[in-house]
Amino acid sequence: MKRRTLLGGIAASTAVVGFPNLSISQEAPKRLVMAPLVDATTTRRVRLEAQKGRTLFKGSSRADTWGFNQPFLGPTLRMATGQTTVAEVKNSLDEAISVHWHGLLVPGSVDGGPHQPIAPQATWTPEITLTQPTATAWYHSHIHGATAKQVQMGLAGVLQISDGQDDARELPSTYGVDDLTLVIQDRRFTRNGQMDLSIGMAEQMTGFLGDTMLINGQIGATAVVPRGVVRLRLLNGSNARIYTLALSDNRPMHLVATDSGLLDQPIALTSLRIAPGERYEVLVDFSDERAVTLVSAQNPNAGMMGGGNQRAGGFPVLPFSVEASLPARITRLPTALGGSRPTADASNAKWRRFSLDMSMGMGMMFRPSDQRFSINGAPFDMKHIDFNVDLGAMERWTISADMMMHPFHVHGAMFQVLSENGQPPQAQNTGWKDTVLVHGSADLLIKFDHPASKQAPFMYHCHILEHEDGGMMGQFTVG
Ligand code: C2O
Ligand code: CU
Ligand code: CU
């Protein structure tokens, strides 16, 4: 019964030491459930329907939620690389949505950004041809000005790009057993059990910060894992919360993949920062059968803004318990992963600079007044294309973010982090990325291999959804 005392001690406490306002559960531990897996690697067809639902998160009253094919969030889609998959996306909601494939390297015409709204009752059927390597991507709505709300309501899910070779790589690959897909989100609830989407004073700056953790849409669940090596595909699907993840007994997390694919070899980390939009895959060895909890330190942005109750100290994200009867296929850590780390040379690349700005009410009179965030001083304008990139070009982008940390994301491309604040990138940013948390400045090297026209340009933006909705976004064509 050592599991009970350990988990009981963490899961049952609402007030976690040093972090009184962010708890996981007051209820008895329940088993974490994965989203249903829609494996389209042979059918080459996926069907998504955005719909309304009611979800029981806690207590006894259900919350109004949205989801794809289910009441809240969407299924995990698995698509094969080297193939074309037809997606059929129906909108059964009362307002326009879009479905952006975040992390897919595809042309603007099927990217699902703000220029490709799906009207209520309409169906969008993009043909998605994948040529990129194995990776964990995701999909979410991307209507300008409504992305934060639509994602909070539940319009998001994970998308795995697979080449079917994970067994040969000796990577855990049994969905929901030793290969766990974990959508990490924070929410707040009203007294009658509805999701509270309201934004307080400090959140005008930081973006929405909840006080309750949801993993795969569940509160207070425990992940049950086999006695062996387990793969965690982590997605930060929160609007604004940045997590600094660690395991409660400080055992290493072996980083095997970043946003856009596998590394060449695992990197052992005891702490991993994950910002909204980012994905990281880690292996954790549970062969000692000890129960551990994935924990996080406070959001560094919240601390900086001096938001109310936020003090130093951690809060639990997800407890694990080992069940020895589950099949443990992998018991050793792989050494070579077959992926790569980018090492291109930036010397001939065209250089662009972007500063992520928060212009609180000053001097922005020439644009809609609700656009308080901007890039290079200009809030996002649907009708204005910021620049064109030559198809096939390699560009160096320097992103600066001084006031607070911002996760910067580019559509339609993956990039190399050349440096962070003039230093070599930290270990977790040495793989292929499409989103990077910028704290000061980051230098990126990006190859643009997919076209995007004026009708459906690519976006670049901060992935704090309230910042993106508030204007910290731009758009470009490739061709
Ligand atoms: Cu995940 Cu432009 O977004
Ligand atoms: Cu994206
Ligand atoms: Cu931001």
Side-chain angles (χ1 to χ4, degrees):
M1 287 275 94
K2 67 182 168 189
R3 174 171 107 80
R4 274 214 92 78
T5 36
L6 262 176
L7 289 179
I10 295 164
S13 69
T14 38
V16 176
V17 180
F19 204 101
N21 64 339
L22 217 149
S23 62
I24 51 170
S25 170
Q26 309 175 44
E27 288 143 36
K30 55 184 186 227
R31 209 178 174 117
L32 181 76
V33 179
M34 297 293 116
L37 176 67
V38 173
D39 188 344
T41 54
T42 50
T43 61
R44 302 188 194 178
R45 194 163 260 286
V46 296
R47 224 200 99 259
L48 291 176
E49 180 181 5
Q51 59 187 48
K52 289 184 193 172
R54 313 255 300 146
T55 304
L56 186 65
F57 290 105
K58 58 180 187 182
S60 57
S61 36
R62 289 174 189 273
D64 293 309
T65 53
W66 295 351
F68 293 104
N69 306 357
Q70 57 186 19
F72 185 60
L73 302 176
T76 299
L77 308 179
R78 184 178 288 164
M79 294 185 191
T81 190
Q83 291 184 2
T84 299
T85 305
V86 179
E88 197 183 302
V89 187
K90 174 157 198 224
N91 180 10
S92 294
L93 297 169
D94 305 327
E95 64 186 65
I97 63 161
S98 83
V99 174
H100 166 55
W101 318 105
H102 178 141
L104 297 200
L105 306 176
V106 293
S109 55
V110 295
D111 179 66
H115 293 266
Q116 290 158 308
I118 311 170
Q121 301 315 317
T123 299
W124 180 55
T125 48
E127 284 187 19
I128 299 165
T129 301
L130 294 180
T131 53
Q132 67 195 105
T134 287
T136 299
W138 64 304
Y139 59 97
H140 61 79
S141 64
H142 211 312
I143 292 290
H144 183 54
T147 300
K149 179 193 100 181
Q150 294 191 350
V151 171
Q152 260 175 319
M153 287 301 288
L155 296 189
V158 170
L159 196 167
Q160 301 179 353
I161 300 154
S162 169
D163 62 3
Q165 296 304 306
D166 281 356
D167 288 353
R169 292 183 185 106
E170 301 193 345
L171 279 172
S173 64
T174 310
Y175 186 77
V177 179
D178 64 2
D179 181 357
L180 306 187
T181 294
L182 304 175
V183 180
I184 303 172
Q185 298 175 311
D186 59 337
R187 291 291 186 276
R188 203 162 51 216
F189 294 90
T190 65
R191 233 177 260 151
N192 47 24
Q194 294 292 337
M195 284 198 293
D196 178 3
L197 310 185
S198 66
I199 292 284
M201 268 293 267
E203 292 167 306
Q204 301 277 347
M205 292 278 274
T206 60
F208 175 89
L209 296 175
D211 59 6
T212 304
M213 289 307 308
L214 296 189
I215 307 297
N216 297 347
Q218 296 147 62
I219 302 176
T222 296
V224 179
V225 293
R227 201 180 86 192
V229 174
V230 174
R231 176 185 195 169
L232 310 178
R233 300 179 190 243
L234 306 165
L235 160 66
N236 184 345
S238 310
N239 283 33
R241 186 173 287 279
I242 299 163
Y243 304 87
T244 306
L245 299 175
L247 289 160
S248 50
D249 63 358
N250 264 320
R251 76 178 59 189
M253 297 172 281
H254 301 272
L255 184 68
V256 293
T258 52
D259 302 330
S260 311
L262 292 165
L263 298 170
D264 48 354
Q265 55 190 43
I267 302 173
L269 298 172
T270 49
S271 127
L272 174 69
R273 186 161 278 178
I274 184 166
E278 285 187 302
R279 290 87 61 214
Y280 285 103
E281 294 183 35
V282 298
L283 302 182
V284 179
D285 189 350
F286 289 102
S287 49
D288 63 5
E289 275 186 72
R290 287 214 313 271
V292 288
T293 298
L294 187 67
V295 298
S296 177
Q298 67 168 135
N299 178 344
N301 276 342
M304 220 177 58
M305 296 298 154
N309 234 339
Q310 314 257 8
R311 279 190 272 135
F315 57 91
V317 173
L318 178 67
F320 291 90
S321 84
V322 180
E323 201 164 284
S325 61
L326 286 174
R329 198 177 59 88
I330 305 291
T331 50
R332 288 178 308 139
L333 290 165
T335 47
L337 301 167
S340 68
R341 279 197 263 182
T343 54
D345 174 14
S347 45
N348 292 316
K350 179 175 177 112
W351 193 5
R352 296 182 204 270
R353 285 164 231 245
F354 302 90
S355 100
L356 309 183
D357 303 323
M358 314 211 287
S359 34
M360 303 301 284
M362 295 286 288
M364 304 314 298
M365 306 314 178
F366 59 99
R367 304 270 183 154
S369 58
D370 62 305
Q371 300 284 288
R372 291 178 298 106
F373 300 94
S374 57
I375 296 182
N376 292 341
F380 181 66
D381 177 352
M382 282 286 273
K383 294 183 292 295
H384 175 75
I385 303 288
D386 293 276
F387 52 87
N388 176 70
V389 173
D390 293 335
L391 184 63
M394 179 103 97
E395 295 202 353
R396 173 184 172 192
W397 288 16
T398 299
I399 319 300
S400 56
D402 295 328
M403 299 253 307
M404 59 182 277
M405 300 184 195
H406 300 275
F408 182 82
H409 169 53
V410 189
H411 288 211
M414 58 185 186
F415 54 73
Q416 168 182 356
V417 181
L418 292 167
S419 65
E420 293 178 86
N421 297 311
Q423 303 296 312
Q426 47 185 319
Q428 69 171 73
N429 287 335
T430 55
W432 291 103
K433 299 278 293 163
D434 61 42
T435 306
V436 65
L437 185 62
V438 183
H439 184 199
S441 78
D443 241 19
L444 315 178
L445 189 59
I446 318 177
K447 182 112 185 314
F448 295 90
D449 286 330
H450 299 273
S453 70
K454 275 202 192 82
Q455 288 68 45
F458 286 139
M459 304 293 126
Y460 56 97
H461 58 90
C462 173
H463 220 290
I464 291 176
L465 302 182
E466 289 77 11
H467 293 180
E468 162 184 349
D469 278 342
M472 197 178 277
M473 180 154 77
Q475 55 188 352
F476 62 102
T477 53
V478 179

PDB file of all heavy atoms in Angstrom, residues 19 186 206-209 240-244 273 296-304 310 313 315 404-405 464:
ATOM      1  N   PHE A  19       2.363  26.511  -3.010  1.00  0.00           N
ATOM      2  CA  PHE A  19       1.563  26.833  -4.192  1.00  0.00           C
ATOM      3  C   PHE A  19       0.105  26.552  -3.870  1.00  0.00           C
ATOM      4  O   PHE A  19      -0.465  25.573  -4.291  1.00  0.00           O
ATOM      5  CB  PHE A  19       2.013  26.009  -5.395  1.00  0.00           C
ATOM      6  CG  PHE A  19       1.667  26.679  -6.679  1.00  0.00           C
ATOM      7  CD1 PHE A  19       2.620  27.380  -7.402  1.00  0.00           C
ATOM      8  CD2 PHE A  19       0.363  26.666  -7.152  1.00  0.00           C
ATOM      9  CE1 PHE A  19       2.293  28.024  -8.565  1.00  0.00           C
ATOM     10  CE2 PHE A  19       0.028  27.312  -8.312  1.00  0.00           C
ATOM     11  CZ  PHE A  19       0.999  27.997  -9.028  1.00  0.00           C
ATOM     12  N   ASP A 186      -4.630  23.965 -18.046  1.00  0.00           N
ATOM     13  CA  ASP A 186      -5.162  24.463 -16.780  1.00  0.00           C
ATOM     14  C   ASP A 186      -6.497  25.155 -17.045  1.00  0.00           C
ATOM     15  O   ASP A 186      -6.708  25.747 -18.096  1.00  0.00           O
ATOM     16  CB  ASP A 186      -4.177  25.409 -16.090  1.00  0.00           C
ATOM     17  CG  ASP A 186      -3.815  26.626 -16.932  1.00  0.00           C
ATOM     18  OD1 ASP A 186      -3.955  26.570 -18.177  1.00  0.00           O
ATOM     19  OD2 ASP A 186      -3.386  27.639 -16.361  1.00  0.00           O
ATOM     20  N   THR A 206      -0.680  38.364 -18.717  1.00  0.00           N
ATOM     21  CA  THR A 206      -0.103  37.017 -18.785  1.00  0.00           C
ATOM     22  C   THR A 206      -0.889  36.087 -19.692  1.00  0.00           C
ATOM     23  O   THR A 206      -0.364  35.090 -20.160  1.00  0.00           O
ATOM     24  CB  THR A 206      -0.087  36.359 -17.390  1.00  0.00           C
ATOM     25  OG1 THR A 206      -1.432  36.276 -16.911  1.00  0.00           O
ATOM     26  CG2 THR A 206       0.755  37.154 -16.409  1.00  0.00           C
ATOM     27  N   GLY A 207      -2.149  36.370 -19.942  1.00  0.00           N
ATOM     28  CA  GLY A 207      -3.052  35.408 -20.551  1.00  0.00           C
ATOM     29  C   GLY A 207      -3.702  34.579 -19.454  1.00  0.00           C
ATOM     30  O   GLY A 207      -3.296  34.641 -18.281  1.00  0.00           O
ATOM     31  N   PHE A 208      -4.683  33.768 -19.833  1.00  0.00           N
ATOM     32  CA  PHE A 208      -5.493  33.014 -18.865  1.00  0.00           C
ATOM     33  C   PHE A 208      -4.646  32.040 -18.046  1.00  0.00           C
ATOM     34  O   PHE A 208      -3.898  31.233 -18.599  1.00  0.00           O
ATOM     35  CB  PHE A 208      -6.581  32.225 -19.603  1.00  0.00           C
ATOM     36  CG  PHE A 208      -7.391  31.336 -18.696  1.00  0.00           C
ATOM     37  CD1 PHE A 208      -8.537  31.811 -18.076  1.00  0.00           C
ATOM     38  CD2 PHE A 208      -6.992  30.019 -18.453  1.00  0.00           C
ATOM     39  CE1 PHE A 208      -9.278  31.001 -17.228  1.00  0.00           C
ATOM     40  CE2 PHE A 208      -7.726  29.198 -17.605  1.00  0.00           C
ATOM     41  CZ  PHE A 208      -8.866  29.690 -16.994  1.00  0.00           C
ATOM     42  N   LEU A 209      -4.793  32.091 -16.726  1.00  0.00           N
ATOM     43  CA  LEU A 209      -4.126  31.133 -15.843  1.00  0.00           C
ATOM     44  C   LEU A 209      -5.168  30.493 -14.933  1.00  0.00           C
ATOM     45  O   LEU A 209      -5.792  31.172 -14.114  1.00  0.00           O
ATOM     46  CB  LEU A 209      -3.062  31.838 -14.994  1.00  0.00           C
ATOM     47  CG  LEU A 209      -1.886  32.446 -15.768  1.00  0.00           C
ATOM     48  CD1 LEU A 209      -0.975  33.227 -14.830  1.00  0.00           C
ATOM     49  CD2 LEU A 209      -1.093  31.366 -16.499  1.00  0.00           C
ATOM     50  N   ALA A 240      -1.999  29.839 -21.707  1.00  0.00           N
ATOM     51  CA  ALA A 240      -0.901  30.738 -21.345  1.00  0.00           C
ATOM     52  C   ALA A 240       0.075  30.173 -20.333  1.00  0.00           C
ATOM     53  O   ALA A 240       1.157  30.743 -20.158  1.00  0.00           O
ATOM     54  CB  ALA A 240      -1.480  32.044 -20.789  1.00  0.00           C
ATOM     55  N   ARG A 241      -0.271  29.091 -19.672  1.00  0.00           N
ATOM     56  CA  ARG A 241       0.592  28.618 -18.585  1.00  0.00           C
ATOM     57  C   ARG A 241       1.825  27.909 -19.116  1.00  0.00           C
ATOM     58  O   ARG A 241       1.734  27.037 -19.973  1.00  0.00           O
ATOM     59  CB  ARG A 241      -0.169  27.700 -17.626  1.00  0.00           C
ATOM     60  CG  ARG A 241       0.654  27.297 -16.408  1.00  0.00           C
ATOM     61  CD  ARG A 241      -0.167  26.532 -15.371  1.00  0.00           C
ATOM     62  NE  ARG A 241      -1.095  27.387 -14.654  1.00  0.00           N
ATOM     63  CZ  ARG A 241      -0.758  28.166 -13.618  1.00  0.00           C
ATOM     64  NH1 ARG A 241       0.485  28.176 -13.171  1.00  0.00           N
ATOM     65  NH2 ARG A 241      -1.661  28.909 -13.025  1.00  0.00           N
ATOM     66  N   ILE A 242       2.971  28.314 -18.599  1.00  0.00           N
ATOM     67  CA  ILE A 242       4.246  27.667 -18.915  1.00  0.00           C
ATOM     68  C   ILE A 242       4.560  26.742 -17.745  1.00  0.00           C
ATOM     69  O   ILE A 242       4.426  27.137 -16.583  1.00  0.00           O
ATOM     70  CB  ILE A 242       5.358  28.727 -19.064  1.00  0.00           C
ATOM     71  CG1 ILE A 242       5.029  29.689 -20.212  1.00  0.00           C
ATOM     72  CG2 ILE A 242       6.720  28.073 -19.262  1.00  0.00           C
ATOM     73  CD1 ILE A 242       5.823  30.989 -20.172  1.00  0.00           C
ATOM     74  N   TYR A 243       4.932  25.496 -18.040  1.00  0.00           N
ATOM     75  CA  TYR A 243       5.253  24.537 -16.982  1.00  0.00           C
ATOM     76  C   TYR A 243       6.744  24.272 -16.974  1.00  0.00           C
ATOM     77  O   TYR A 243       7.372  24.204 -18.027  1.00  0.00           O
ATOM     78  CB  TYR A 243       4.511  23.216 -17.197  1.00  0.00           C
ATOM     79  CG  TYR A 243       3.009  23.389 -17.305  1.00  0.00           C
ATOM     80  CD1 TYR A 243       2.400  23.677 -18.530  1.00  0.00           C
ATOM     81  CD2 TYR A 243       2.201  23.296 -16.171  1.00  0.00           C
ATOM     82  CE1 TYR A 243       1.028  23.865 -18.626  1.00  0.00           C
ATOM     83  CE2 TYR A 243       0.823  23.482 -16.259  1.00  0.00           C
ATOM     84  CZ  TYR A 243       0.250  23.772 -17.491  1.00  0.00           C
ATOM     85  OH  TYR A 243      -1.107  23.970 -17.584  1.00  0.00           O
ATOM     86  N   THR A 244       7.300  24.105 -15.786  1.00  0.00           N
ATOM     87  CA  THR A 244       8.674  23.629 -15.658  1.00  0.00           C
ATOM     88  C   THR A 244       8.555  22.252 -15.025  1.00  0.00           C
ATOM     89  O   THR A 244       8.407  22.112 -13.819  1.00  0.00           O
ATOM     90  CB  THR A 244       9.507  24.581 -14.797  1.00  0.00           C
ATOM     91  OG1 THR A 244       9.384  25.900 -15.352  1.00  0.00           O
ATOM     92  CG2 THR A 244      10.976  24.180 -14.807  1.00  0.00           C
ATOM     93  N   ARG A 273      11.155  22.624 -19.520  1.00  0.00           N
ATOM     94  CA  ARG A 273      10.171  23.714 -19.591  1.00  0.00           C
ATOM     95  C   ARG A 273       9.325  23.522 -20.838  1.00  0.00           C
ATOM     96  O   ARG A 273       9.852  23.273 -21.921  1.00  0.00           O
ATOM     97  CB  ARG A 273      10.898  25.052 -19.633  1.00  0.00           C
ATOM     98  CG  ARG A 273       9.956  26.222 -19.570  1.00  0.00           C
ATOM     99  CD  ARG A 273      10.661  27.486 -19.143  1.00  0.00           C
ATOM    100  NE  ARG A 273      10.795  27.546 -17.697  1.00  0.00           N
ATOM    101  CZ  ARG A 273      11.411  28.535 -17.054  1.00  0.00           C
ATOM    102  NH1 ARG A 273      11.958  29.525 -17.712  1.00  0.00           N
ATOM    103  NH2 ARG A 273      11.477  28.529 -15.733  1.00  0.00           N
ATOM    104  N   SER A 296       5.270  20.539 -11.476  1.00  0.00           N
ATOM    105  CA  SER A 296       5.739  21.722 -12.184  1.00  0.00           C
ATOM    106  C   SER A 296       6.001  22.843 -11.211  1.00  0.00           C
ATOM    107  O   SER A 296       5.338  22.962 -10.173  1.00  0.00           O
ATOM    108  CB  SER A 296       4.699  22.194 -13.202  1.00  0.00           C
ATOM    109  OG  SER A 296       5.149  23.391 -13.820  1.00  0.00           O
ATOM    110  N   ALA A 297       6.939  23.689 -11.560  1.00  0.00           N
ATOM    111  CA  ALA A 297       7.122  24.935 -10.833  1.00  0.00           C
ATOM    112  C   ALA A 297       6.123  25.951 -11.384  1.00  0.00           C
ATOM    113  O   ALA A 297       5.504  25.729 -12.423  1.00  0.00           O
ATOM    114  CB  ALA A 297       8.549  25.438 -10.998  1.00  0.00           C
ATOM    115  N   GLN A 298       5.985  27.050 -10.710  1.00  0.00           N
ATOM    116  CA  GLN A 298       5.048  28.090 -11.123  1.00  0.00           C
ATOM    117  C   GLN A 298       5.364  28.593 -12.539  1.00  0.00           C
ATOM    118  O   GLN A 298       6.489  28.492 -13.013  1.00  0.00           O
ATOM    119  CB  GLN A 298       5.135  29.255 -10.153  1.00  0.00           C
ATOM    120  CG  GLN A 298       6.493  29.938 -10.265  1.00  0.00           C
ATOM    121  CD  GLN A 298       6.566  31.265  -9.549  1.00  0.00           C
ATOM    122  OE1 GLN A 298       7.523  31.538  -8.859  1.00  0.00           O
ATOM    123  NE2 GLN A 298       5.553  32.105  -9.714  1.00  0.00           N
ATOM    124  N   ASN A 299       4.373  29.175 -13.174  1.00  0.00           N
ATOM    125  CA  ASN A 299       4.586  29.829 -14.459  1.00  0.00           C
ATOM    126  C   ASN A 299       5.537  31.012 -14.250  1.00  0.00           C
ATOM    127  O   ASN A 299       5.241  31.912 -13.476  1.00  0.00           O
ATOM    128  CB  ASN A 299       3.226  30.335 -14.977  1.00  0.00           C
ATOM    129  CG  ASN A 299       3.338  31.066 -16.290  1.00  0.00           C
ATOM    130  OD1 ASN A 299       4.418  31.475 -16.706  1.00  0.00           O
ATOM    131  ND2 ASN A 299       2.214  31.230 -16.947  1.00  0.00           N
ATOM    132  N   PRO A 300       6.702  30.993 -14.925  1.00  0.00           N
ATOM    133  CA  PRO A 300       7.647  32.104 -14.720  1.00  0.00           C
ATOM    134  C   PRO A 300       7.054  33.464 -15.092  1.00  0.00           C
ATOM    135  O   PRO A 300       7.409  34.472 -14.480  1.00  0.00           O
ATOM    136  CB  PRO A 300       8.824  31.738 -15.623  1.00  0.00           C
ATOM    137  CG  PRO A 300       8.355  30.657 -16.530  1.00  0.00           C
ATOM    138  CD  PRO A 300       7.194  29.997 -15.863  1.00  0.00           C
ATOM    139  N   ASN A 301       6.151  33.499 -16.058  1.00  0.00           N
ATOM    140  CA  ASN A 301       5.515  34.776 -16.414  1.00  0.00           C
ATOM    141  C   ASN A 301       4.626  35.291 -15.286  1.00  0.00           C
ATOM    142  O   ASN A 301       4.597  36.476 -15.000  1.00  0.00           O
ATOM    143  CB  ASN A 301       4.650  34.627 -17.671  1.00  0.00           C
ATOM    144  CG  ASN A 301       5.477  34.763 -18.943  1.00  0.00           C
ATOM    145  OD1 ASN A 301       6.587  35.287 -18.920  1.00  0.00           O
ATOM    146  ND2 ASN A 301       4.930  34.285 -20.037  1.00  0.00           N
ATOM    147  N   ALA A 302       3.894  34.364 -14.662  1.00  0.00           N
ATOM    148  CA  ALA A 302       2.988  34.778 -13.597  1.00  0.00           C
ATOM    149  C   ALA A 302       3.778  35.359 -12.434  1.00  0.00           C
ATOM    150  O   ALA A 302       3.395  36.370 -11.857  1.00  0.00           O
ATOM    151  CB  ALA A 302       2.152  33.599 -13.131  1.00  0.00           C
ATOM    152  N   GLY A 303       4.907  34.729 -12.134  1.00  0.00           N
ATOM    153  CA  GLY A 303       5.728  35.216 -11.038  1.00  0.00           C
ATOM    154  C   GLY A 303       6.207  36.629 -11.303  1.00  0.00           C
ATOM    155  O   GLY A 303       6.139  37.501 -10.443  1.00  0.00           O
ATOM    156  N   MET A 304       6.617  36.866 -12.549  1.00  0.00           N
ATOM    157  CA  MET A 304       7.164  38.158 -12.910  1.00  0.00           C
ATOM    158  C   MET A 304       6.121  39.263 -12.824  1.00  0.00           C
ATOM    159  O   MET A 304       6.416  40.391 -12.502  1.00  0.00           O
ATOM    160  CB  MET A 304       7.687  38.077 -14.330  1.00  0.00           C
ATOM    161  CG  MET A 304       8.972  38.801 -14.537  1.00  0.00           C
ATOM    162  SD  MET A 304       9.489  38.551 -16.220  1.00  0.00           S
ATOM    163  CE  MET A 304       8.090  39.188 -17.097  1.00  0.00           C
ATOM    164  N   GLN A 310       0.699  33.750  -6.427  1.00  0.00           N
ATOM    165  CA  GLN A 310       1.727  32.919  -7.035  1.00  0.00           C
ATOM    166  C   GLN A 310       3.052  33.071  -6.298  1.00  0.00           C
ATOM    167  O   GLN A 310       3.665  34.110  -6.327  1.00  0.00           O
ATOM    168  CB  GLN A 310       1.919  33.319  -8.496  1.00  0.00           C
ATOM    169  CG  GLN A 310       0.619  33.486  -9.218  1.00  0.00           C
ATOM    170  CD  GLN A 310       0.320  32.315 -10.116  1.00  0.00           C
ATOM    171  OE1 GLN A 310       1.018  31.311 -10.096  1.00  0.00           O
ATOM    172  NE2 GLN A 310      -0.721  32.427 -10.906  1.00  0.00           N
ATOM    173  N   GLY A 313       7.601  27.466  -5.757  1.00  0.00           N
ATOM    174  CA  GLY A 313       7.199  26.154  -5.283  1.00  0.00           C
ATOM    175  C   GLY A 313       6.442  25.419  -6.345  1.00  0.00           C
ATOM    176  O   GLY A 313       5.973  26.007  -7.308  1.00  0.00           O
ATOM    177  N   PHE A 315       3.684  22.398  -8.028  1.00  0.00           N
ATOM    178  CA  PHE A 315       2.343  21.835  -7.876  1.00  0.00           C
ATOM    179  C   PHE A 315       2.310  20.558  -8.701  1.00  0.00           C
ATOM    180  O   PHE A 315       3.041  20.425  -9.681  1.00  0.00           O
ATOM    181  CB  PHE A 315       1.265  22.830  -8.323  1.00  0.00           C
ATOM    182  CG  PHE A 315       1.425  23.316  -9.735  1.00  0.00           C
ATOM    183  CD1 PHE A 315       0.818  22.654 -10.797  1.00  0.00           C
ATOM    184  CD2 PHE A 315       2.206  24.438 -10.009  1.00  0.00           C
ATOM    185  CE1 PHE A 315       0.973  23.106 -12.102  1.00  0.00           C
ATOM    186  CE2 PHE A 315       2.366  24.888 -11.316  1.00  0.00           C
ATOM    187  CZ  PHE A 315       1.743  24.220 -12.361  1.00  0.00           C
ATOM    188  N   MET A 404       8.236  39.906 -21.054  1.00  0.00           N
ATOM    189  CA  MET A 404       7.941  38.602 -20.473  1.00  0.00           C
ATOM    190  C   MET A 404       8.276  37.529 -21.492  1.00  0.00           C
ATOM    191  O   MET A 404       8.661  37.837 -22.607  1.00  0.00           O
ATOM    192  CB  MET A 404       6.480  38.522 -20.003  1.00  0.00           C
ATOM    193  CG  MET A 404       5.443  38.762 -21.078  1.00  0.00           C
ATOM    194  SD  MET A 404       3.728  38.705 -20.456  1.00  0.00           S
ATOM    195  CE  MET A 404       3.415  36.951 -20.461  1.00  0.00           C
ATOM    196  N   MET A 405       8.148  36.278 -21.097  1.00  0.00           N
ATOM    197  CA  MET A 405       8.470  35.182 -22.017  1.00  0.00           C
ATOM    198  C   MET A 405       7.295  34.947 -22.959  1.00  0.00           C
ATOM    199  O   MET A 405       6.148  34.948 -22.538  1.00  0.00           O
ATOM    200  CB  MET A 405       8.697  33.896 -21.229  1.00  0.00           C
ATOM    201  CG  MET A 405       9.822  33.985 -20.241  1.00  0.00           C
ATOM    202  SD  MET A 405      10.046  32.382 -19.467  1.00  0.00           S
ATOM    203  CE  MET A 405      11.071  32.883 -18.092  1.00  0.00           C
ATOM    204  N   ILE A 464       0.827  32.175 -26.723  1.00  0.00           N
ATOM    205  CA  ILE A 464      -0.086  32.505 -25.618  1.00  0.00           C
ATOM    206  C   ILE A 464      -1.339  33.006 -26.324  1.00  0.00           C
ATOM    207  O   ILE A 464      -1.312  34.008 -27.043  1.00  0.00           O
ATOM    208  CB  ILE A 464       0.521  33.564 -24.669  1.00  0.00           C
ATOM    209  CG1 ILE A 464       1.698  32.931 -23.903  1.00  0.00           C
ATOM    210  CG2 ILE A 464      -0.542  34.109 -23.708  1.00  0.00           C
ATOM    211  CD1 ILE A 464       2.452  33.887 -22.995  1.00  0.00           C
TER     212      ILE A 464
END
